[in-house]
Amino acid sequence: MADLSTNYLGLKLKNPVIVGSSGMSGTVAGVKHAAENGAGAVVLKSIFEEQILHEMDGYLNESQNDNGNSFHKGYQSVLNEREYDYDEAYQYLTDHAKDLTLRKFLSFVAEAKKAVDIPVIASINCTSAYDWHYFARRIEEAGADALELNVYVLGSNTMKNSAENEKVYFDIIEAVLKQVKIPVSLKMGFYFSGLATTAIELSKTGIGGLVLFNRPFHPDIDINSLETHAKYMLSDPSEYSHVLRWIALLSGRTECQLVATTGIHTAETAIKQLLAGATAVEVVSAMYKHGYPVISEIVNGIGKWMDEKGYATIDDFRGKMNQQSIKNPAEFERVQFMRLYSEIV
Ligand SMILES: Cc1cc2nc3c(=O)[nH]c(=O)nc-3n(C[C@H](O)[C@H](O)[C@H](O)COP(=O)(O)O)c2cc1C
């Protein structure tokens, strides 16, 4: 029987199938199910920067200052306020609200860690470098084996240029790495004009892994109610191909490990990502669709394929199909269906 074990972020995983961050890993019971179904590791549901700010906002809303004026300044103004104008009372209230949220999360990390014997990776969803070093250190103290930073800058702010948007990623990493000893990975977005260069530069910052990519919320418009709503919460199995391209292109070029996530619903797509150069894969939507047992199906499927192909270890085939190893490297950079289009008249 093939040996599926792999080393990710300096942690020994019994296989490369990681349960990705979501509601499926948002409770201790969920984390236990993930482990019972053979996951190599689990990334806990993120603590969100917005979640903390929102709770701070609610807390501030209920509080009154000495003049009887509401402390409530609205969510946006809390965002603005945090950059300047801290009076002592305001600071106390925001710290208190932040602590309540964080304490709940820390006890979840500690309980999850106690409940399973697979690596537990905590996740922070951040949009700025503000205060995250503080959360990261507390999460490390709670016992997380590693930390996955989920950063997404859409690039929609017309007042910011691309260099400023990219700087957010570097600032967050720098602030967190100063504070923790546990390994850190970055789950990044893909809206960069120079995606390959940025990913390579990010890989040099001291992080242990790049998780490609976080999957954005898909907004949609209801043409009858004229309201907006979220669509495509769960990925489609065809979505793996976008990530496959970038894993293949970046494999062998980064100074840290690569993890594939999005659209991995089967052993076949997991194997493709490993062949392209991924150290591991993260799975979420497939679990929402088919339950936790899909994890063991993917793990067993990888083992069966390895046995059939005569691969004894994951390293025997990892990266075998990355851009640097295939006969036609241009294949992963092709973006137009030139031949196909010209044949369709
Ligand atoms: C319901 C739901 C909740 C999620 N929550 C988080 C989260 O808290 N933190 C995070 O980094 N990603 C979160 N994600 C994104 C997943 O971790 C993953 O990146 C994305 O779903 C793509 O992988 P998939 O195709 O296997 O679903 C969530 C996804 C779903 C569907």
Side-chain angles (χ1 to χ4, degrees), residues 125 150-152 187-191 211-218 231-237 239-240 242-243 261-265 284-285 289:
N125 190 305
N150 179 357
V151 186
Y152 209 110
K187 190 177 188 185
M188 63 184 287
F190 47 82
Y191 288 118
V211 182
L212 310 182
F213 295 105
N214 42 34
R215 183 174 182 270
F217 169 93
H218 290 72
K231 208 165 176 193
Y232 310 120
M233 283 287 288
L234 302 181
S235 69
D236 182 84
E239 290 181 43
Y240 78 89
H242 167 62
V243 178
T261 174
T262 298
I264 299 156
H265 291 228
V284 169
S285 291
K289 288 183 185 174

